[in-house]
Amino acid sequence: MKQPIFGIYEKALPKAFSWKEKFALAKELGFQFIELSIDESDERLARLDWTRKEREEFWLMCAESGIRVPSICLSGHRRFPLGSSKQETREAGLVIMKKAIDLAADLGVRVIQLAGYDVYYEEKSVLTRACFIENLRLALDWAAEKQVVLAIEIMDDPFMSSITKYLRIKAELVTSPWLKVYPDIGNLSAWPENDVGFELAEGIAETAAIHLKDTLQVDGLFPGKFKEVPFGSGCVDFVGAFKTLQMLHYAGPFLIEMWSEASPNYYDELVAAKRFIEEKWKEAAATWMEIELTN
C-alpha cells in the first residue's frame, strides 16, 4: 500500500522562526510539505502584497529545502467574509481572494483552502448564503484563469458542516471544475449527525486534500471543541477514517493541523502528533490487509 503524504500546518511551527528555519524543521521531522497560513491578522494578510522579489525568494527557499508549499489556508475571510451583508466587507473579501489567487500562481501553490462559511462574526441569513455563492462563482472565474483550485474546508460551522452540504452547493449552484472539497476529519467527526465513512466516500472524487486533527463532539448544550484537542483524546476514529480512505484508494496529501507555534514544547508535540497519525495509519492498513487476505 502506498505510503501517505504528510504535511504540517505553518501555525504548528514556531512563529519566531524564519522561513528557512521552518523549512529545515519540517524536513527534520519528516514532513513533505507546509501549508501556508493567510489568516485574518494584519501580519499574515500582508503576505498578499509580497513584492516580486519576496515571492521569488520564498519560492527559492522552498526549492532549496526540498519542502513543498502546495496549499494556502486562507482564513482571512473570517474577518472579511464573501457572504457579508455589508457591501464594503464583501468587496474587501474579494480583493483578498483575487490577491490570494495571484500569490498562489506566483508561488506555484496549487490549492487555496477556503473556510466553508458564508459569514463568521455576523448573523447568517438567506442573503449571506446567496452573497457567498455569488462571490464564490466570481472567485472561481479568477481561479480558472490561473489554474488554481479553490477547496472548501468542512468546518466548525453549520453552514458547511458536512461533505454532503458541499456537494449540494456544487451540484445545484456552482459547477466549476476548479471547486473542490477539503475535508477536515476532526470537524466531520464533531458533528454527531455525520456518518464520517459515508461522507468521505461520497466526496472522494471531489477531495483535494485532508486535514487531520482531533475534536470533541457537539452534544446538547456543549458546542464541541474544534481546535487544540490533543491527538487521541477526542472523538475522532482515526483508524476507521483511514481504513475508509485506504479502501477508496485515496492517494492525496494529509495535513496535520496544529496550533503549537507559541508552545515551548512545540518539538515534542510535533513528534508525538506525527507518530500518533503514522501508527493509526499502519493500524488501519494492517486491518485492511488482513481482511483482503481472509477474503
Side-chain angles (χ1 to χ4, degrees):
M1 180 172 290
K2 181 182 178 295
Q3 291 301 306
I5 300 168
F6 290 127
I8 189 67
Y9 188 35
E10 180 197 342
K11 288 188 176 182
L13 306 173
K15 191 172 184 180
F17 273 24
S18 67
W19 273 111
K20 188 170 289 189
E21 291 171 320
K22 289 178 181 179
F23 287 133
L25 177 58
K27 189 169 186 175
E28 178 186 344
L29 292 171
F31 292 107
Q32 293 167 278
F33 68 95
I34 294 174
E35 185 165 271
L36 178 68
S37 169
I38 298 181
D39 61 20
E40 59 188 309
S41 68
D42 290 338
E43 177 186 359
R44 285 191 162 113
L45 284 172
R47 294 171 172 179
L48 298 173
D49 296 312
W50 275 350
T51 64
R52 173 62 59 183
K53 182 180 179 181
E54 288 173 315
R55 296 173 192 223
E56 290 174 352
E57 289 174 348
F58 184 84
W59 186 90
L60 283 172
M61 279 189 286
C62 291
E64 291 171 357
S65 70
I67 298 295
R68 300 180 298 116
V69 180
S71 56
I72 291 173
C73 177
L74 183 62
S75 54
H77 283 137
R78 285 168 62 120
R79 181 175 165 192
F80 302 101
L82 296 177
S84 176
S85 57
K86 302 172 184 177
Q87 182 175 343
E88 62 272 22
T89 303
R90 293 197 305 273
E91 289 175 351
L94 285 170
V95 169
I96 288 171
M97 188 76 259
K98 182 65 166 62
K99 287 183 176 182
I101 292 169
D102 291 341
L103 178 65
D106 288 344
L107 298 181
V109 169
R110 298 178 176 88
V111 175
I112 297 175
Q113 178 231 292
L114 299 182
Y117 39 65
D118 48 353
V119 292
Y120 189 79
Y121 298 114
E122 300 177 32
E123 184 176 350
K124 297 177 182 296
S125 68
V126 177
L127 175 62
T128 59
R129 181 179 189 272
C131 288
F132 171 81
I133 292 170
E134 180 180 51
N135 287 325
L136 177 60
R137 285 173 168 167
L138 178 57
L140 284 163
D141 287 342
W142 297 335
E145 292 173 4
K146 296 295 179 75
Q147 294 182 292
V148 173
V149 169
L150 303 185
I152 298 182
E153 184 183 13
I154 303 307
M155 299 299 297
D156 56 345
D157 184 283
F159 182 78
M160 195 69 67
S161 58
S162 68
I163 296 173
T164 300
K165 290 183 177 180
Y166 158 82
L167 291 171
R168 188 183 306 151
I169 284 181
K170 179 152 187 177
E172 296 177 3
L173 301 167
V174 183
T175 57
S176 171
W178 298 98
L179 180 67
K180 298 298 179 184
V181 69
Y182 200 138
D184 183 307
I185 300 293
N187 291 344
L188 271 176
S189 302
W191 296 102
E193 64 269 23
N194 286 340
D195 179 331
V196 175
F198 172 83
E199 291 288 322
L200 292 172
E202 284 290 286
I204 192 65
E206 292 285 318
T207 299
I210 292 177
H211 269 177
L212 299 175
K213 69 181 181 189
D214 217 337
T215 52
L216 297 177
Q217 197 170 72
V218 175
D219 182 16
L221 297 177
F222 180 61
K225 187 175 182 182
F226 293 85
K227 291 178 64 174
E228 300 178 330
V229 176
F231 283 100
S233 65
C235 65
V236 178
D237 178 0
F238 285 100
V239 174
F242 287 158
K243 187 186 296 185
T244 299
L245 291 166
Q246 291 165 5
M247 177 184 68
L248 294 167
H249 300 286
Y250 174 75
F254 291 96
L255 190 283
I256 295 178
E257 190 174 26
M258 298 171 61
W259 293 266
S260 50
E261 64 180 1
S263 171
N265 301 315
Y266 70 87
Y267 192 91
D268 291 341
E269 291 171 14
L270 286 165
V271 170
K274 189 168 184 287
R275 183 183 298 121
F276 175 87
I277 292 298
E278 289 174 335
E279 288 174 353
K280 295 302 179 183
W281 177 268
K282 289 177 182 177
E283 186 178 340
T287 304
W288 182 243
M289 287 176 67
E290 181 181 341
I291 291 172
E292 285 184 328
L293 291 171
T294 301
N295 291 339

